[in-house]
Amino acid sequence: MLRQQVDHGDDKPYLSLADFVAPEKDHIGAFAVTAGLGVDELVARFQAEHDDYRAIMVKALADRLAEAFAEYLHEVARRGWYETGPSHSRDDLIGEKYRGIRPAFGYPACPDHSEKHKLFDLLDARAIAWTSRSQAR
């Protein structure tokens, strides 16, 4: 994986997602989420109607809903696999005070978007999205 590209201006290491995987007896999980099936078409319609506000809001809402679902799935995975005890407070979740990480393409630990196609292939995510879209029609 590509290393972080932001200049910290100090001696902090430039981490890669690979730095978070132990050389032996470690595990990784993977999932893909979307709240955006049909979003491109809806945004295009609003843009054709010169309604930039609605186009921006649709994009923002889809992005935030997908992010919230990813955070929820990460909690389900942590609690199902290794995390015990009471649930974390909202402040602890925001502060990432839990064990494990939830990297996503485009963020500092995983800046290269081109690699997400490998994950989508591994999960067969396109088929799931296509099936969901076909069933919605």
Side-chain angles (χ1 to χ4, degrees):
M1 298 297 297
L2 188 64
R3 297 211 166 267
Q4 291 178 345
Q5 302 298 296
V6 177
D7 183 3
H8 300 294
D10 57 21
D11 291 339
K12 286 173 62 175
Y14 292 88
L15 298 175
S16 164
L17 187 56
D19 294 325
F20 293 93
V21 181
E24 294 181 19
K25 297 185 180 183
D26 204 351
H27 297 84
I28 62 170
F31 55 82
V33 300
T34 186
L37 296 178
V39 164
D40 291 338
E41 294 87 355
L42 188 56
V43 167
R45 189 184 100 205
F46 287 139
Q47 289 173 333
E49 296 170 359
H50 305 288
D51 192 340
D52 292 336
Y53 177 76
R54 284 189 176 160
I56 290 167
M57 290 305 295
V58 167
K59 289 180 201 177
L61 285 171
D63 177 71
R64 295 297 81 208
L65 286 170
E67 186 68 27
F69 189 40
E71 190 60 38
Y72 169 75
L73 284 178
H74 186 221
E75 181 178 18
V76 169
R78 287 192 327 267
R79 296 198 68 71
W81 291 337
Y82 60 83
E83 191 173 87
T84 59
S87 295
H88 293 284
S89 70
R90 184 179 64 187
D91 289 340
D92 285 349
L93 288 173
I94 292 169
E96 299 177 356
K97 307 255 184 202
Y98 46 77
R99 186 175 145 231
I101 60 171
R102 185 181 60 82
F105 292 102
Y107 287 88
C110 210
D112 185 3
H113 278 275
S114 68
E115 295 293 312
K116 69 182 162 190
H117 300 290
K118 292 176 185 174
L119 176 65
F120 291 173
D121 290 344
L122 176 71
L123 299 174
D124 201 14
R126 289 179 196 88
I128 295 167
W130 181 253
T131 301
S132 298
R133 184 176 283 182
S134 298
Q135 291 173 351
R137 291 185 179 160

